[in-house]
Amino acid sequence: MEKRVRFKGLWLPLLLVMPQLLITAVFFFYPAGQAIWQSLFIPDPFGLSMRYVGLGNFEFLLSDPFYRASFVTTAVFSILVTLVSMGVALYLAVLADRLIKGSGTYRTLLIWPYAVAPAVAGVLWLFMFNTRVGVVTWYLGVLGYDWNHVLNQGEAMGLVVVASAWGRISYNFLFFLAGLQAIPRSVIEAAAIDGARFWTRFRTIVFPLLSPTTFFLLVVNIVYAFFETFGVIHTITSGGPQQATTILVYKVYADGFVGQDLGSSAAQSVILLVIVGILTIIQFKYIERRVHY
Amino acid sequence: MKRVLIAAALSTTALTATSAAAQTEIEFWHDKTGRLGELLKEQVATFNGMQSDYVVVESQKGNYSEVLNAGIAAFRAGEQPDILLVFEVGTATMMAAEGAIKPVYEVMAEAGADFDADGFIGAVKGYYTTNDGQMLSMPYNSSTPVLWVNRDKLQEAGINPDVDLSTWQNVGDVLDQLKAAGVDCPMTTAWQSWVHLENLSAYHDVPFATKENGFSGTDTELAFNGPVQVQHISTMGEWARDGKFIYAGRRNEGGANFRGGDCALFTESSAGYAGINAEAKFEFEVRPLPYWEGVDGAPMNTIIGGASLWVLAGQTDEEYKGVAEFLNFLSSPEIQAKWHQDTGYLPITSAAGDLTREQGFYDENPGTDIAVIQMTANQPTANSKGLRLGSFDQIRGIIDEELEAVWSGDKTAQAALDSAAERGNALLRRFEQATR
């Protein structure tokens, strides 16, 4: 059942979308085109000379087992960040939705962390888990657990996931709460009268009706985990220990801005672009089918 | 720069504007913050105050990597500063950028400045000169790794604080005793690759890379997976697993552990002096970096870390004259001696070292000359005059990763160093391609 509205004329609609098209052209098509062009060269850092290497940069990257391993790291990291931030947010939103007294305060407090920049969030969590003076590390020590994310790869991954997901929970919470409140009470009450308990109601009515929100958040959170978690990784682990937390976007930075290897960095950006494009297509083609609007 | 002059002309009266226009402005970009930043500003102010032809304008552009990036971006936009501070690992990148830099020896010769490159300490100068002895950039802050000792910690553990720590064999015995006495952090380090691989190689006169550590060509290959390095890293790995060596992080995170009094021994740059002196609430001491007894040629000399001043291309002759004068001022014995005494960085000229000794600084602050002695003990060999490798910042990152695998017990020292060399070589080949 598709509803379509048709507008007459060509110029007015074109004029109306022009600002958006311009922005996309300047901030997306132009830099993306530059990245694709540069990925075909090995330039020297100062831009004094450029050597054409065709697909050499891609060959160099894809033949590197550490770069290929970074795909797995990125997948694990993105899935964990998305699951944790959406799962916790949904749980809190369901609780907040049922709250009658003090819900305003509760909501405000939950939304707060969203205002914290990723790099600052990274420093906060790093401080709590600092191997020497971290308060959480100290309590874990009392419990007999020796926390050391500086050498333990699993712990390092856990820490960057939690730090990245934390600020994101607020954002997801807002959307989930709005989604929950848009579900007609009558439907839920009818189910309750039919004898459906909370969990059954949630599974068969609330969650399916929430699916447009969940789908939207899924897309947005994966993009977030891919690109915007850079600040957290940079402040907490710098990609270590070994390469346990080197996600693709961090490697783009490290090779381009620390290593001055602009050809490889550009090629990596192109690869990232392709991956995110494919992911979004998959999401819209397959997952969206299960979404009830 | 024109814009600055116009702004100056607009914001001041016509009278002062003419005097401002008569002065040539020299732009100087650096990374120094905190106490070091203050000391640098003081140097600039002194220079600006003692002559009226030039005015040096310093600006802080972030950390080492960010300064280099800012300089590169500015060069691409045609807005480069006159002087750019570049850390030692960026040396090969700068040298390869022939059209972007103006070698210091040329700047000095053209300005007719009275400049004696031989006055610089050999191991410092060697890092920044061509194979035929021409100085390309001027050393600014240089340091070398030493062993810092918490004497109180040794005493508490029932060890004579004057115990001989000159060799790693002796250090190993002391670590055993510290561990047996229940010390949680017998030893830690900062800058693991710099201290335990780069300096280790130079100190034991074994190559870090072929082609004289990259000095005689970009077709160099990493060679740090030799027996001396493997033995050292392997021993360190055992210490790490036994809890005798505590790894705190890739940069100088270990410094907090030492300054806080947790650790007994700490391998770190001589420039750690300012921080340790300010924060440590225990009796500390500087010792020379230990070496492995029985290795031929050891101890040779250690090499430097730090940064040097590069003059960028594309400025007017007048500005280069000012640059020459400023660089000459910076390397004068008085300025250098003060910098050395305030920061723990090495005096970059022999004259500055002599002046410091005459002023009695070493007598009042025992141990502050150890770094200088360690650097200048021997005439540097092909293996110990420094490193000149492209993409070196990334190679250090690779070494960090592989060493972490050794400390955690995931890899043997040989496997980790072999892997680091192989991965690093791939980057060296790319650098060779990019600069050919």
Side-chain angles (χ1 to χ4, degrees):
Chain A
M1 246 213 338
E2 276 191 273
K3 282 173 273 175
R4 280 202 179 169
V5 185
R6 298 192 128 265
F7 294 99
K8 279 186 192 150
L10 174 70
W11 293 108
L12 182 66
L14 201 64
L15 192 74
L16 291 175
V17 291
M18 197 42 100
Q20 179 59 42
L21 284 182
L22 266 178
I23 288 174
T24 315
V26 171
F27 290 102
F28 179 72
F29 287 116
Y30 174 68
Q34 281 267 318
I36 294 171
W37 175 248
Q38 283 191 359
S39 70
L40 304 175
F41 294 87
I42 296 185
D44 89 292
F46 284 87
L48 298 166
S49 67
M50 286 186 41
R51 283 175 63 83
Y52 178 75
V53 289
L55 295 177
N57 284 325
F58 294 95
E59 250 177 72
F60 172 74
L61 280 171
L62 296 172
S63 63
D64 176 4
F66 287 88
Y67 184 67
R68 294 201 302 265
S70 172
F71 282 92
V72 180
T73 311
T74 311
V76 170
F77 174 77
S78 307
I79 291 170
L80 285 176
V81 168
T82 308
L83 282 184
V84 170
S85 63
M86 286 180 64
V88 175
L90 179 60
Y91 175 72
L92 293 172
V94 169
L95 292 185
D97 192 35
R98 291 155 62 92
L99 210 64
I100 298 159
K101 244 186 179 174
S103 60
T105 321
Y106 182 73
R107 265 180 253 162
T108 311
L109 287 177
L110 275 174
I111 292 160
W112 241 349
Y114 188 55
V116 179
V120 179
V123 173
L124 275 174
W125 285 86
L126 179 61
F127 201 60
M128 285 193 283
F129 283 88
N130 183 303
T131 47
R132 199 175 96 81
V133 293
V135 61
V136 181
T137 311
W138 190 80
Y139 280 116
L140 286 172
V142 171
L143 296 174
Y145 187 82
D146 181 21
W147 176 269
N148 187 3
H149 68 264
V150 178
L151 274 184
N152 186 314
Q153 307 192 34
E155 289 174 6
M157 178 57 103
L159 185 55
V160 289
V161 165
V162 171
S164 307
W166 176 62
R168 207 59 193 176
I169 290 172
S170 311
Y171 180 87
N172 296 346
F173 168 79
L174 266 181
F175 279 89
F176 274 132
L177 190 64
L180 284 172
Q181 289 179 344
I183 295 172
R185 294 281 137 186
S186 54
V187 184
I188 297 173
E189 279 159 16
I193 290 166
D194 284 346
R197 295 196 167 252
F198 172 76
W199 179 241
T200 318
R201 291 202 304 269
F202 180 78
R203 197 165 43 85
T204 57
I205 298 173
V206 177
F207 195 67
L209 285 177
L210 208 54
S211 59
T213 310
T214 314
F215 174 66
F216 164 75
L217 288 178
L218 187 72
V219 176
V220 172
N221 277 292
I222 287 187
V223 171
Y224 163 80
F226 258 81
F227 294 105
E228 288 169 53
T229 47
F230 167 81
V232 173
I233 306 250
H234 190 50
T235 46
I236 298 185
T237 61
S238 300
Q242 298 177 47
Q243 285 214 339
T245 56
T246 305
I247 61 171
L248 291 168
V249 70
Y250 192 76
K251 208 171 146 58
V252 171
Y253 158 80
D255 288 353
F257 288 92
V258 179
Q260 320 293 353
D261 189 347
L262 298 177
S264 165
S265 192
Q268 291 176 40
S269 307
V270 173
I271 292 175
L272 258 179
L273 196 74
V274 171
I275 293 175
V276 174
I278 292 173
L279 268 180
T280 312
I281 290 171
I282 290 175
Q283 285 169 332
F284 275 93
K285 251 195 133 56
Y286 298 100
I287 304 178
E288 198 188 18
R289 283 189 190 164
R290 299 166 162 271
V291 172
H292 309 268
Y293 285 107
Chain B
M1 202 180 72
K2 217 179 262 163
R3 217 178 308 144
V4 177
L5 283 183
I6 292 167
L10 286 175
S11 62
T12 54
T13 63
L15 194 78
T16 47
T18 28
S19 74
Q23 282 185 323
T24 305
E25 208 174 86
I26 313 285
E27 265 188 278
F28 171 26
W29 291 3
H30 63 88
D31 77 301
K32 299 284 173 266
T33 53
R35 179 80 185 118
L36 291 175
E38 285 166 27
L39 290 164
L40 181 146
K41 285 196 178 83
E42 198 183 306
Q43 292 177 338
V44 169
T46 311
F47 177 75
N48 287 340
M50 62 185 263
Q51 47 74 42
S52 54
D53 295 340
Y54 311 100
V55 52
V56 173
V57 179
E58 53 83 26
S59 50
Q60 205 278 345
K61 293 281 174 189
N63 66 30
Y64 276 147
S65 301
E66 287 160 359
V67 173
L68 179 56
N69 271 311
I72 287 173
F75 182 82
R76 284 170 162 249
E79 304 268 335
Q80 68 271 31
D82 300 276
I83 305 173
L84 186 70
L85 184 90
V86 178
F87 59 158
E88 92 283 5
V89 301
T91 303
T93 304
M94 296 301 290
M95 278 184 174
E98 268 171 32
I101 57 158
K102 194 170 172 72
V104 162
Y105 75 89
E106 244 179 69
V107 174
M108 293 298 183
E110 283 172 19
D114 176 25
F115 177 75
D116 177 20
D118 292 333
F120 290 82
I121 291 179
V124 176
K125 191 185 75 170
Y127 213 106
Y128 303 115
T129 51
T130 61
N131 275 358
D132 50 2
Q134 305 277 41
M135 186 178 272
L136 297 177
S137 66
M138 191 157 98
Y140 183 69
N141 56 311
S142 309
S143 62
T144 202
V146 290
L147 179 69
W148 295 88
V149 180
N150 180 338
R151 289 176 63 89
D152 292 356
K153 207 84 189 168
L154 292 182
Q155 195 116 41
E156 279 165 32
I159 301 164
N160 177 4
D162 293 320
V163 62
D164 182 4
L165 293 168
S166 59
T167 66
W168 285 114
Q169 280 93 339
N170 290 349
V171 170
D173 292 343
V174 169
L175 291 180
D176 288 344
Q177 293 172 44
L178 284 163
K179 191 69 202 166
V183 174
D184 283 336
C185 176
M187 179 172 91
T188 189
T189 190
W191 311 108
Q192 50 184 356
S193 166
W194 181 57
V195 180
H196 293 283
L197 219 44
E198 296 160 34
N199 269 290
L200 177 96
S201 303
Y203 212 25
H204 295 81
D205 198 16
V206 289
F208 185 84
T210 59
K211 299 270 169 180
E212 298 181 51
N213 289 343
F215 272 66
S216 59
T218 50
D219 53 340
T220 166
E221 289 195 349
L222 298 170
F224 54 64
N225 47 349
V228 173
Q229 293 98 331
V230 168
Q231 187 220 359
H232 181 70
I233 297 302
S234 169
T235 311
M236 293 273 290
E238 278 165 35
W239 289 344
R241 262 157 280 157
D242 297 344
K244 295 175 199 164
F245 159 53
I246 303 297
Y247 174 65
R250 295 178 177 182
R251 304 168 67 84
N252 48 5
E253 289 88 346
N257 300 37
F258 182 76
R259 293 193 299 272
D262 298 357
C263 301
L265 306 179
F266 177 39
T267 48
E268 152 76 313
S269 150
S270 57
Y273 176 73
I276 293 171
N277 197 24
E279 285 178 40
K281 292 187 179 63
F282 50 84
E283 200 188 335
F284 66 87
E285 184 188 14
V286 192
R287 299 281 191 95
L289 194 70
Y291 63 94
W292 284 102
E293 196 165 13
V295 174
D296 267 352
M300 206 57 203
N301 60 290
T302 51
I303 54 176
I304 58 166
S308 67
L309 304 174
W310 287 85
V311 184
L312 297 184
Q315 315 288 9
T316 64
D317 288 349
E318 197 49 31
E319 283 177 45
Y320 285 132
K321 264 195 161 144
V323 169
E325 195 160 317
F326 181 58
L327 295 185
N328 241 340
F329 160 82
L330 284 180
S331 56
S332 66
E334 293 75 23
I335 294 293
Q336 271 306 310
K338 180 168 160 41
W339 177 249
H340 164 53
Q341 293 167 25
D342 286 342
T343 62
Y345 280 116
L346 299 161
I348 54 173
T349 59
S350 330
D354 294 344
L355 183 63
T356 303
R357 179 152 304 153
E358 277 167 34
Q359 290 168 346
F361 181 78
Y362 296 136
D363 298 329
E364 284 163 35
N365 303 276
T368 43
D369 58 342
I370 280 183
V372 188
I373 296 169
Q374 189 178 297
M375 289 272 315
T376 53
N378 293 297
Q379 194 59 36
T381 67
N383 294 326
S384 73
K385 67 179 170 183
L387 303 170
R388 190 162 299 163
L389 304 170
S391 305
F392 195 34
D393 214 1
Q394 277 169 303
I395 293 175
R396 265 196 185 162
I398 289 172
I399 292 172
D400 282 333
E401 289 171 14
E402 297 288 349
L403 288 182
E404 280 167 351
V406 179
W407 309 155
S408 65
D410 292 346
K411 279 188 183 176
T412 65
Q414 184 76 59
L417 293 180
D418 286 349
S419 165
E422 193 193 322
R423 293 168 65 191
N425 282 337
L427 291 180
L428 287 176
R429 295 294 73 77
R430 268 185 81 79
F431 182 78
E432 191 185 354
Q433 245 183 314
T435 54
R436 193 161 24 188

